[in-house]
Amino acid sequence: MIVRTVRGDIAPSALGVTLCHEHLFTRPPSWAVDLDDDMVLDDVDRAVTELQHFAGVGGGALIEMTTADYGRDPVGLAAAAARSTVHVVSASGYQKGIYYPESLQEETVESLTARFVTDITVGIDGSGPRCGVLKYGTCRTDFIRDDEQKVQRATAAAHLATGVPISTHCQAGTLGDVQVAGFRSAGVEPGRLLIGHVDRNLDYDYIRGIAATGAWLGFDHWTKPKYPSDDRRIEFVHRLFDEGFTRIMASGDLGRPSYQPSWGGTPGFSGILEQVRARMDDATAQRVFVDNPREFFAFEPVAA
Ligand SMILES: [Zn+2]
């Protein structure tokens, strides 16, 4: 088993303390940037600074969840990772429907699958670093769009062809249960799914229901004041652990300049790690930040 980072394949035990859903480089479509100027991360030196701060508080690995439709930068990722001790994993797949390029309408499940598999087995765009995770996301809170269902089938097929795990975006934390059902019907075992952003929708029965399928939970919006409080997040983590649902990972999803100190923001990857760890006993933190990522992001590679 290996974990596929942008610097190459590593033993899962080499990951260390891992944030499961972060961003070093982002550039959403121009219409989105026009609406909100706090969306673009595009500086290698700043990315390296953030990684160094993270390493300084014991950080070992960062799962970088920016996909092609959100401005993934394979050159920047490789350059930043080369200058840091932190392992960086890059994502294939797509973010969510509203960001899909127009060209996606012409694509088939087969053509999408082939591109995702190339990202993972050959390299991004055929020449860049290889991806070690598949992202999938939905942009609505009430149903999954047709184009997102097409991408879901391609994501499932790429997973089945490569073994790479799938990590998702749930809009405002919703539809995670529907995502799991869709992947299951496409042959994906729930234990290979990390359902993201559920801590934006702190409904215990909903979250417990996802956990009961064997899927993993992403508590990945810590410290953000506009969402539920960290007090409630930690209450949910403890309650789930008490019931034996320990497949939980943590992160901050810090995909904006205002979240990163090198851009004048806060709390940064180091701040997330320190603040969340301070709320957990050592055994829980070890499970959430070390043991769970080591298990979830590991896969048996197939030849290109
Ligand atoms: Zn994200």
Side-chain angles (χ1 to χ4, degrees):
M1 300 285 265
I2 55 108
V3 172
R4 181 151 288 166
T5 80
V6 300
R7 283 203 308 260
D9 294 349
I10 62 170
S13 59
L15 273 183
V17 171
T18 302
L19 295 177
C20 70
H21 186 128
E22 292 302 341
H23 297 277
L24 289 170
F25 296 92
T26 56
R27 184 174 288 282
S30 56
W31 65 260
V33 179
D34 288 345
L35 294 173
D36 183 346
D37 61 8
D38 186 28
M39 299 280 270
V40 177
L41 297 170
D42 61 355
D43 188 283
V44 173
D45 290 338
R46 286 186 170 99
V48 171
T49 300
E50 298 297 334
L51 290 173
Q52 281 167 339
H53 287 160
F54 180 53
V57 296
L62 194 116
I63 313 300
E64 216 278 358
M65 292 305 297
T66 306
T67 46
D69 55 331
Y70 209 69
R72 183 182 55 193
D73 178 356
V75 175
L77 282 176
R83 288 166 54 191
S84 170
T85 58
V86 175
H87 297 295
V88 177
V89 173
S90 178
S92 186
Y94 280 115
Q95 159 93 338
K96 58 183 176 183
I98 55 164
Y99 295 131
Y100 290 168
E102 242 169 73
S103 59
L104 195 125
Q105 285 176 25
E106 314 301 321
E107 299 244 28
T108 62
V109 172
E110 291 72 26
S111 68
L112 288 166
T113 304
R115 179 131 35 77
F116 298 165
V117 170
T118 296
D119 280 353
I120 294 161
T121 59
V122 180
I124 296 168
D125 305 325
S127 61
R130 295 193 287 182
C131 294
V133 64
L134 278 155
K135 182 164 189 176
Y136 174 71
T138 46
C139 68
R140 297 189 57 97
T141 59
D142 46 357
F143 66 93
I144 298 183
R145 291 171 26 158
D146 287 350
D147 52 357
E148 291 173 339
Q149 293 187 31
K150 177 169 76 175
V151 170
Q152 185 171 34
R153 289 195 291 278
T155 307
H159 158 74
L160 293 171
T162 62
V164 161
I166 298 167
S167 175
T168 80
H169 165 97
C170 290
Q171 190 70 19
T174 65
L175 298 182
D177 47 355
V178 182
Q179 290 184 354
V180 173
F183 277 120
R184 271 181 129 157
S185 70
V188 178
E189 202 265 300
R192 301 306 287 147
L193 299 169
L194 169 57
I195 303 302
H197 313 341
V198 295
D199 58 336
R200 282 194 56 190
N201 182 19
L202 291 177
D203 170 337
Y204 193 76
D205 291 340
Y206 163 74
I207 292 178
R208 188 188 184 284
I210 295 170
T213 68
W216 302 71
L217 303 172
F219 277 65
D220 49 24
H221 275 67
W222 296 87
T223 80
K224 290 181 176 172
K226 58 186 173 181
Y227 301 132
S229 72
D230 285 355
D231 288 345
R232 292 206 59 219
R233 280 195 181 82
I234 198 67
E235 189 189 308
F236 267 61
V237 170
H238 287 144
R239 196 168 160 193
L240 287 158
F241 263 66
D242 286 348
E243 275 205 83
F245 297 117
T246 57
R247 290 188 157 185
I248 296 173
M249 287 178 258
S251 217
D253 197 10
L254 304 181
R256 292 172 178 268
S258 61
Y259 296 142
Q260 302 200 1
S262 63
W263 292 88
T266 186
F269 310 130
S270 55
I272 284 288
L273 177 59
E274 287 188 302
Q275 289 179 46
V276 179
R277 218 163 33 183
R279 290 175 170 272
M280 293 175 175
D281 60 63
D282 289 350
T284 305
Q286 171 75 19
R287 186 63 88 93
V288 166
F289 287 112
V290 181
D291 298 346
N292 285 348
R294 180 177 64 205
E295 183 177 345
F296 179 73
F297 290 101
F299 66 98
E300 204 62 61
V302 295

